[in-house]
Structures are given as structure tokens and as C-alpha cells.
Amino acid sequence: MKTAMIFGTRPEAIKMAPLYKKMKEKGIEAKIIATAQHREMLDQVLELFEIKPDYDLNIMKKGQTLSELTSRLVTKIDEILKKEKFDNILVHGDTTSTFLGSLAAFYNKIPVGHVEAGLRTNDIYNPYPEEMNRRLTGTIAQYHFAPTQKAKENLLKENIDEKNITITGNTVIDALLWVKQNKQKDIEKIKEKYNIKDKKYILITMHRRENWGEPIESVMKAIKKYINENKEMHIVFPVHLNPVVRETVNKILGKEEKAILIDPVEYLEFIALMDASHYIMTDSGGIQEEAPSLGKPTLVLRKTTERPEAIKAGTAKLIGTEEKEVYQAMKEMETEQYEKMSKASNPFGDGTASEKIIQFLKNK
Ligand code: UD1
Ligand code: UDP
């Protein structure tokens, strides 16, 4: 079996790294085509997992639009797929690299396996463009690796043949466990580095396109009000490199002493920052999946979710982006709700997703 994995952003790299390492361990011929839709944020992950892509398309341009990115991607991926003969292509999740990787594979009649298949909000603009990217990828893909039963049910509703779906859990748990086992973390040093020794803090991330502008502004205002009223609470916010996001965050929180704004940190440090936080507020998908493994409640800064499992399990709460509601949700974290959420268990897998994906592919 000769496999290629196509990915390009930070979260895809985190979630594909353990699968790639497991394939190599088993002697399977696997190659990585990194689109580098992200540059610095992708490189941080590749370095940590000690992965060197076989191809690096170096596609990122500062402030890239979706259409520019799309046209550059399909041509460049196509060139490689014509040069090498792969038995299958694996893509992950819902980014533009995911969709264009599958489309280029389809044009070359190579079967596609979709990792983290079947997540749906059923609202094509929430998250945007990810809901459409994963639907289109799901239509092209022949093998569907669903992280949960719920994701499988979503695929069945779309008439995907059950024999091509397998429930694997999410590879992000494999990644988290790999880092814990293979990399030493010195949390005290990390705390010193980010000036958070003895500080109680909420860890924040927010970057999604549907939240650009007013939603991010409202959330930042709620946070500002809360930390000004609550003497001991700080925030630590590794701000995504997207210039649109950085501008809004800096405008509102840039001068707040208790708001520690930093650049995106490497995955190992981010795990340590999650671990030492009081709780997490985020619009990220991956973080919602990881946080419960560390016993950290998550307030989700979005209107819809494709991860209802987290809400049902009680590890996360969907709080939207309205200033009043976000502030209110932060107040509620001062009640017994906090303990309850901290103790809820992770519905996203047990660290064996990569193994299950490989078994399925071997039987095809
Ligand atoms: C992308 C994905 C989104 C995913 C997110 C994870 C698309 C359309 N969006 O959003 O689904 O949740 O990644 O983080 O596929 N930049 C840098 N360096 C980096 C990364 C980004 O400078 O390492 C800046 C650049 O100016 C770039 C901009 O961020 O143009 C936007 O990057 P892009 O990949 O288009 O969108 P994201 O918002 O990162
Ligand atoms: N992450 C990281 N450094 C940071 C912020 C996040 O390594 O400064 C990790 C985080 O642990 C998670 C992933 O990046 O695994 C989430 O990425 P992102 O929020 O960009 O994308 P999404 O999950 O929303 O697709």
C-alpha cells in the first residue's frame, strides 16, 4: 500500500502526525504532501513530531483569500499526483487543503480516505467555509473515518454506504498521548516564559472566519469587563497569526495588563498552557476535543457546533458570541458548574484511532 497524506494547517498536522508515525512504524509506504496553507504554525507542529514532508508546496501568502488559495492548491497537488502513483490519499477534517486535496485525488482517480469524517452543523455558513469543505470531501471520499457514533449517523443520513464507514475515535487523542509519552514538558519553565507563574488564568483562542469583526469584538469586550471586575483572574491568549484576528484582539485587549497576549505557541507548550489553566474559552474544534482529557471545561465561542458530543458529555458549553451572554457564562463558571464540567469524561476517543484507520485500510 502506498499512501499520501495531504494537509496544510496546524490542526490537520497535529491530527495526522500520529497516523503517519504509526504507518511508518508498521513499514507502510506513506508520504506527506504539505500544502503549507499555514507556514509558521505548520512548521511548529512538524518539528515537534519530527516529521519532514516529502513535498512542501509552500502555498501560503499573507492575507490569502479563499479563491486564491483554492486555485493555487489544485494545480500544485495535481502535478505531484501525476508524478507518483498512490494507492490512496488521506485527508483530514475541513480546511481548504482538505477539500482541494480530495478534489485533485478524484481528478486522478485515486481513492480518498477522510479522517475526522461526518462532523456536521447543517449550516453552510457556520463554520465557514469548513462545513462546506467537509461535506464536499465526504462526497468525494470512498473511506470515512468517523470519530464518533454520531458522526457515523450523519454520514448514513447522507446515504454513505455503511461498509465504507468505520468509527475510530479522534486522532487528536493519539497526538496528545504521543506528546505526553515522548516529550518532556517542564511546565514551570513554560510558566516563567509566559509570565504566568502563580497566576490564575483562562486560556483563550478565537480565529474562525464567521467570528471575524463584531463577534470577536463582543467576546473581547466581555473578557475585558470580566477581568477588570475579577481581581485574581487573568487571560492567556495565543493569538492566531491571521492579521484580521490580530487587529481586533489588539484593539480591545492590547493595553490590558491582565490580558497576556502571545503568538501561537508550539503544541507541547499549548498542552502545558491548557493543563495549567483554570478553564478554556475557544472557537477551535481541536481544543474542545483535547481539553476534557486534561479535565478542563470549555466555553465554546460559537453559535453552532459539530461536536454535540462534548455538550452532551458535559465537558463543553456552547455560549455564542454576544457580549452579555459571554460575560454571564464566565460568571457561571464561579458556581458548582465548574467542578461538574471538570469531572465530565472525554467522548472523543482513547488514543487508538490511528491503529483502527490502518487496520481498515489494510482490509480494503
Ligand atoms: C485555516 C482554515 C480553518 C482552520 C484554521 C486552523 C481554511 C479556509 N481555513 O484558517 O479551517 O480552522 O486554519 O488554524 O482552510 N498566517 C500566517 N502564518 C501561519 C498561518 C496563518 O501568517 O502559519 C496568516 C496569513 O496571513 C494567512 C492567514 O493567516 O493568509 C490566513 O490563513 P488561512 O489558512 O487562509 O486561514 P486560517 O484563518 O488560518
Ligand atoms: N494549538 C497550538 N498552539 C496554539 C493554539 C492551539 O498548538 O497556540 C493547537 C491546539 O492544541 C489544537 C489545535 O492547535 O490541537 C487547534 O488548532 P486551531 O484552533 O487552529 O484549529 P481548529 O481545531 O479549530 O481546526
Side-chain angles (χ1 to χ4, degrees):
M1 176 165 74
K2 184 174 168 184
T3 295
M5 294 183 180
I6 304 179
F7 58 80
T9 66
R10 170 178 64 194
E12 292 165 88
I14 291 172
K15 291 169 165 183
M16 288 299 246
L19 176 57
Y20 174 75
K21 291 187 94 69
K22 186 63 91 192
M23 281 189 160
K24 287 285 182 189
E25 209 179 282
K26 290 180 180 286
I28 296 169
E29 192 177 357
K31 292 201 172 182
I32 290 181
I33 303 172
T35 66
Q37 175 180 333
H38 284 171
R39 186 67 280 167
E40 301 89 326
M41 286 161 61
L42 173 74
D43 293 343
Q44 281 183 333
V45 181
L46 295 175
E47 220 171 277
L48 175 70
F49 285 95
E50 295 153 12
I51 290 176
K52 204 172 156 359
D54 299 275
Y55 295 94
D56 189 322
L57 308 185
N58 200 21
I59 217 100
M60 192 193 92
K61 291 221 166 92
K62 293 277 166 199
Q64 60 206 359
T65 66
L66 291 175
S67 306
E68 284 164 10
L69 185 59
T70 300
S71 60
R72 284 201 300 278
L73 275 169
V74 74
T75 318
K76 287 216 176 185
I77 299 171
D78 188 66
E79 281 166 18
I80 298 167
L81 300 188
K82 292 219 154 34
K83 209 162 71 185
E84 288 213 45
K85 292 279 165 257
F86 293 107
D87 298 312
N88 55 52
I89 299 286
L90 298 178
V91 294
H92 177 277
D94 52 23
T95 73
T96 301
S97 291
T98 313
F99 167 49
L100 274 307
S102 356
L103 187 64
F106 168 69
Y107 286 160
N108 287 280
K109 297 194 175 153
I110 308 171
V112 173
H114 189 197
V115 181
E116 200 181 88
L119 276 62
R120 296 290 184 271
T121 60
N122 295 316
D123 175 350
I124 59 168
Y125 294 112
N126 269 303
Y128 167 83
E130 290 84 357
E131 176 75 3
M132 186 54 81
N133 282 340
R134 57 192 172 221
R135 283 203 216 176
L136 295 167
T137 305
T139 304
I140 292 172
Q142 298 196 10
Y143 316 128
H144 307 261
F145 304 109
T148 62
Q149 174 64 30
K150 171 88 187 133
K152 176 176 174 177
E153 284 162 18
N154 290 339
L155 292 167
L156 290 174
K157 271 189 225 149
E158 293 171 15
N159 296 322
I160 305 278
D161 191 337
E162 189 167 9
K163 72 175 188 307
N164 291 327
I165 309 173
T166 183
I167 299 176
T168 59
N170 199 303
T171 54
V172 80
I173 309 298
D174 305 22
L176 195 66
L177 296 181
W178 186 89
V179 170
K180 279 189 157 179
Q181 275 157 22
N182 293 279
K183 300 279 167 175
Q184 291 290 327
K185 66 170 179 180
D186 188 339
I187 180 64
E188 289 312 313
K189 272 203 184 130
I190 295 172
K191 280 184 177 170
E192 244 163 60
K193 181 169 167 188
Y194 295 111
N195 189 24
I196 51 168
K197 248 187 164 213
D198 309 320
K199 285 189 179 125
K200 189 171 178 183
Y201 66 91
I202 305 165
L203 183 65
I204 317 273
T205 80
M206 197 167 183
H207 68 85
R208 311 214 81 89
R209 274 163 209 261
E210 68 276 13
N211 281 336
W212 289 1
E214 210 251 305
I216 298 190
E217 267 197 61
S218 308
V219 171
M220 295 306 117
K221 283 182 188 158
I223 290 172
K224 183 172 168 175
K225 181 169 150 71
Y226 186 82
I227 56 174
N228 277 321
E229 284 175 12
N230 190 311
K231 281 212 163 37
E232 62 166 351
M233 194 63 85
H234 294 67
I235 63 144
V236 175
F237 188 166
V239 188
H240 196 288
L241 292 179
N242 198 316
V244 183
V245 174
R246 291 175 87 82
E247 201 198 312
T248 317
V249 173
N250 280 322
K251 189 173 78 185
I252 299 168
L253 293 179
K255 293 204 176 80
E256 291 299 312
E257 230 173 76
K258 288 166 72 207
I260 301 166
L261 306 183
I262 55 180
D263 280 341
V265 300
E266 65 142 84
Y267 188 46
L268 175 66
E269 290 188 344
F270 193 75
I271 294 172
L273 286 178
M274 283 198 281
D275 214 13
S277 70
H278 187 51
Y279 63 91
I280 299 169
M281 292 170 67
T282 187
D283 65 358
S284 159
I287 296 170
Q288 289 176 62
E289 294 154 350
E290 295 160 344
S293 289
L294 303 167
K296 300 297 164 181
T298 310
L299 299 184
V300 182
L301 301 165
R302 294 177 50 177
K303 291 188 181 77
T304 54
T305 181
E306 60 287 87
R307 292 172 174 84
E309 298 90 342
I311 314 289
K312 201 168 163 208
T315 60
K317 201 175 161 196
L318 191 66
I319 65 165
T321 55
E322 298 287 335
E323 185 179 340
K324 261 195 188 151
E325 282 160 29
V326 172
Y327 174 81
Q328 192 50 39
M330 293 175 86
K331 293 293 283 179
E332 276 165 27
M333 290 304 266
E334 294 167 7
T335 69
E336 68 283 358
Q337 179 190 287
Y338 175 81
E339 279 301 309
K340 244 171 126 182
M341 289 179 79
S342 310
K343 290 194 179 113
S345 60
N346 194 336
F348 294 109
D350 58 3
T352 58
S354 305
E355 185 71 50
K356 288 178 181 137
I357 292 169
I358 293 170
Q359 280 319 317
F360 182 91
L361 286 173
K362 275 188 167 169
N363 293 331
K364 279 288 148 189

